[in-house]
DNA sequence: ACCATGGGTTGAATATTGTCAAAACCTAAC
DNA sequence: GTTAGGTTTTGACAATATTCAACCCATGGT
């Protein structure tokens, strides 16, 4: 264990760690490494080391300002067409969907903190996208967001083939935001309606579900409604279920519930077996942040927006273009 | 004048905002300009332009983590405002003055060794703060400073209710620094001017006092000038003395001498009875290190600096803020 | 007291980035 | 259709930053 890092510190302007001093000179004063090396009395190479340490230690945060993504044409159009409070459109990059998803998640991760304020109770849904958003938060935030935020898990947990669960999504997000976390300690879907009812009645679960209705903000993704969708692969619905819902006009999936093109919840078999927020609860929130990308998400996103659950959107430019095409 | 910038619509990247795309690739994806140029189908120089545009348009936000840098900012400001060589500001921590004092002392203790060099003759004042600095040295330094340093006791000794005397301050400091130590074997203040004069004339004392004028660096604290101050409780001055000095405009205490807001020594009754360095000796040193903290020290510190005795400062962030407030 | 160890530092080779004037391009007016 | 005037892009060069293997020095164990 290296206890005290023993560095030379001559020529410093303040007694602060020389790493900070160097980072300050570089990023704040705009000096170049040669000048800094001169003033600090070390070699340029050492200055490089200091700066890298500053980066890895998180002293330096480089992010693209939200305005860049919310002001440009696609975002504006999206906002107008769907009457949103704000939209955040990130470039697709190379065509790979995977990369685009990461970009969208990262964008959401950078934007989210600025959308929250002390006292907020944020509901967090589940899914690959949301998981990545939570991950992305880590890099952009150093844990100094305005405190006193509570994160609630919007839907029950699910054994997934993806290695991330609803708990992990909300727990990660809470951790990155420095927020308290209320998990929902129950499966997302049960095989038997009675069991589900009894579980919902359990005091612990009931309290947790009740906490959900106190959320004033929420973050969720729109799920698509085809047979490759996560709804099926994660076991929420069987292929048969899916076909039935599609026949009823299902256009997308929101927090485990099927919605039609107008965003209305489609009543069905599953409702009684699901443990999670009811879609009604997501209406009229201070913020409903929809994070999704992909051509197959265009219709589900439109449905979710039509349902009135959405005030803010994060997506990719091609998806945005798809939503704007008529 | 906001015209639409017409750019060549190369590649399949949305022509809308190549600038953002480039910025994303550079800052988020970590690609270098050559790679970006390739993917975007433009020259590398163009990428430079895009990135610069992103900078000037404010898309890129480089922020230095607040926690690490606020203190540094204060130090910079302090240095500028008071024309100091360097300043070291430590965070206050929890509100407790006691803890803050310890932090400041530790900061000074860490900094001091790097401010000294072989051959230096360091004058050491007396006080709670200085004592703690000496103590703090113990932990950070194992006596491996460049040798050949001499420590001199700046003021005579004092029976105190605190259990540490001027000798102990300087002796400790000398020990921690691996320095020689010249103590001043006399009381700091005598009741009779004649006695003081005769004592000063004693060969041993005279030599020791003379040694003081050979100091090229000094470390001292600023004392406040109210009735709760150490000047009174340690018996240097009586309440009556204090009132008299305050009436003369005394703003602080430096090495047992009262100074006014401009840092000028206030001539008075005490001068003839004190055994210790004269403030003139502290002018134009290679280093005058002022270590103090507390709201009540703001004015005294400012006075000391105004008097020209100070080149380096160690203090707490709230005190620094107080000194910067106007 | 000695040596092994590991982090901090360094100089030189390498890679990346910034600069600048010239060229290409677009728009709009002649 | 052509030209003027502005902007964007470009290539070559200069400045700057990064990498890497070797070095130094303090530390801790033998």
């Amino acid at each position: 264990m290296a206890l005290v890092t023993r560095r030379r510190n001559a020529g410093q302007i303040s007694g602060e760690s020389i790493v900070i001093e160097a980072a300050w000179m570089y990023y704040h004063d705009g000096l170049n490494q040669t000048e800094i090396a001169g003033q600090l009395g070390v070699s340029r190479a050492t200055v490089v080391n200091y700066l890298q340490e500053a980066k890895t230690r998180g002293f330096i945060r480089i992010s693209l300002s939200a305005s860049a993504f919310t002001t440009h044409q696609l975002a504006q159009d999206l906002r107008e067409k769907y009457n949103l409070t704000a939209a955040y459109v990130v470039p697709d990059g190379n065509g790979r969907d995977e990369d685009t998803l990461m970009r969208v998640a990262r964008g959401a991760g950078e934007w989210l903190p600025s959308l929250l304020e002390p006292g907020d109770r944020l509901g967090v849904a589940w899914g690959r996208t949301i998981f990545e958003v939570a991950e992305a938060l880590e890099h952009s935030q150093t844990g100094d967001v305005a405190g006193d935020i509570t994160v609630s898990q919007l839907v029950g947990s699910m054994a997934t083939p993806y290695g991330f669960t609803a708990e992990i999504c909300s727990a990660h997000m809470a951790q990155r935001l420095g927020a308290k976390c209320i998990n929902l300690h129950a499966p997302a879907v049960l095989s038997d309606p009675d069991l589900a009812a009894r579980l919902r009645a359990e005091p612990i679960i009931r309290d947790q579900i009740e906490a959900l209705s106190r959320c004033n903000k929420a973050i969720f993704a729109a799920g698509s409604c085809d047979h490759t969708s996560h709804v099926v692969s994660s076991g929420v619905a069987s292929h048969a279920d899916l076909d039935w819902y599609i026949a009823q006009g299902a256009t997308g999936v929101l927090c485990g519930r099927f919605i039609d093109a107008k965003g209305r919840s489609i009543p069905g078999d599953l409702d009684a077996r699901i443990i999670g927020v009811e879609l009604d609860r997501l209406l009229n929130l201070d913020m409903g942040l929809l994070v999704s990308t992909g051509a197959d998400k265009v219709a589900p996103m439109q449905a979710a927006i039509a349902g009135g659950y959405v005030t803010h959107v994060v997506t990719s430019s091609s998806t945005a273009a798809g939503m704007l095409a008529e």
Side-chain angles (χ1 to χ4, degrees), chain A:
Chain A
M1 248 335 258
L3 326 148
V4 188
T5 49
R6 215 150 262 317
R7 295 195 214 267
R8 307 183 181 175
N9 54 351
Q12 283 182 257
I13 264 166
S14 92
E16 286 282 0
S17 152
I18 195 165
V19 174
I20 292 181
E21 180 101 39
W24 183 274
M25 289 180 174
Y26 193 71
Y27 290 102
H28 185 266
D29 298 341
L31 305 183
N32 66 33
Q33 299 182 348
T34 312
E35 294 173 299
I36 296 172
Q39 286 198 33
L40 257 39
V42 297
S43 75
R44 291 120 234 186
T46 301
V47 174
V48 173
N49 290 339
Y50 291 163
L51 293 177
Q52 279 188 340
E53 182 176 340
K55 274 182 208 156
T56 57
R57 297 248 307 258
F59 290 165
I60 296 154
R61 218 168 55 197
I62 298 181
S63 57
L64 304 186
S65 94
S67 69
F69 302 101
T70 56
T71 57
H72 78 264
Q73 203 57 49
L74 284 170
Q76 295 283 34
D77 294 349
L78 220 48
R79 196 170 71 83
E80 252 172 54
K81 174 166 180 183
Y82 293 103
N83 195 30
L84 302 168
T85 305
Y88 189 108
V89 178
V90 308
D92 288 85
N94 62 45
R96 297 190 40 232
D97 277 358
E98 178 67 16
D99 292 345
T100 306
L101 172 62
M102 296 304 289
R103 284 183 172 210
V104 169
R106 181 149 196 181
E110 276 183 17
W111 199 24
L112 182 58
S114 67
L115 296 172
L116 298 176
E117 41 198 51
D120 277 343
R121 294 160 313 277
L122 176 71
V124 176
W126 165 84
R128 171 74 200 284
T129 310
I130 302 301
F131 176 78
E132 296 295 353
V133 172
E135 281 300 301
L137 275 173
E138 177 177 38
H139 304 298
S140 56
Q141 284 299 135
T142 341
D144 51 359
V145 203
D148 191 25
I149 290 177
T150 305
V151 164
S152 288
Q153 180 179 336
L154 285 175
V155 295
S157 203
M158 207 71 242
T160 83
Y162 306 106
F164 50 87
T165 66
E167 279 111 340
I168 293 181
C169 284
S170 40
H172 262 197
M173 199 162 299
Q175 187 199 327
R176 310 287 192 249
L177 292 170
K180 286 189 294 289
C181 185
I182 300 180
N183 278 315
L184 196 54
H185 293 116
V189 64
L190 297 162
S191 54
D192 181 51
D194 284 339
L195 181 55
R198 279 170 53 195
L199 204 50
R200 271 193 285 262
E202 271 299 303
I204 300 175
I205 306 292
R206 202 186 49 212
D207 289 351
Q208 290 168 351
I209 290 178
E210 203 199 322
L212 292 184
S213 47
R214 288 198 299 273
C215 285
N216 67 327
K217 298 187 177 175
I219 178 172
F220 44 80
S224 63
C225 229
D226 52 57
H227 285 266
T228 62
S229 155
H230 283 186
V231 217
V232 175
S233 56
S234 65
V236 172
S238 68
H239 283 282
D241 290 332
L242 184 55
D243 283 331
W244 184 85
Y245 275 105
I246 291 174
Q248 306 300 307
T251 307
V253 182
L254 205 60
C255 293
R257 317 269 179 173
F258 286 92
I259 56 174
D260 67 13
K262 290 278 200 301
R264 287 171 303 220
S265 176
I266 300 179
D269 180 39
L270 269 177
D271 295 319
R273 296 190 287 123
I274 282 187
I275 308 259
V277 72
E278 285 163 57
L279 289 185
D280 292 354
R281 302 287 194 193
L282 295 181
L283 292 170
N284 301 115
L285 295 183
D286 292 341
M287 178 192 82
L289 176 58
L290 173 62
V291 185
S292 285
T293 177
D296 58 325
K297 300 290 172 48
V298 170
M301 289 174 76
Q302 287 171 321
I305 294 169
Y309 310 109
V310 182
T311 63
H312 295 65
V313 166
V314 179
T315 191
S316 67
S317 53
S318 64
T319 310
M323 294 175 69
L324 290 166
E326 203 65 320

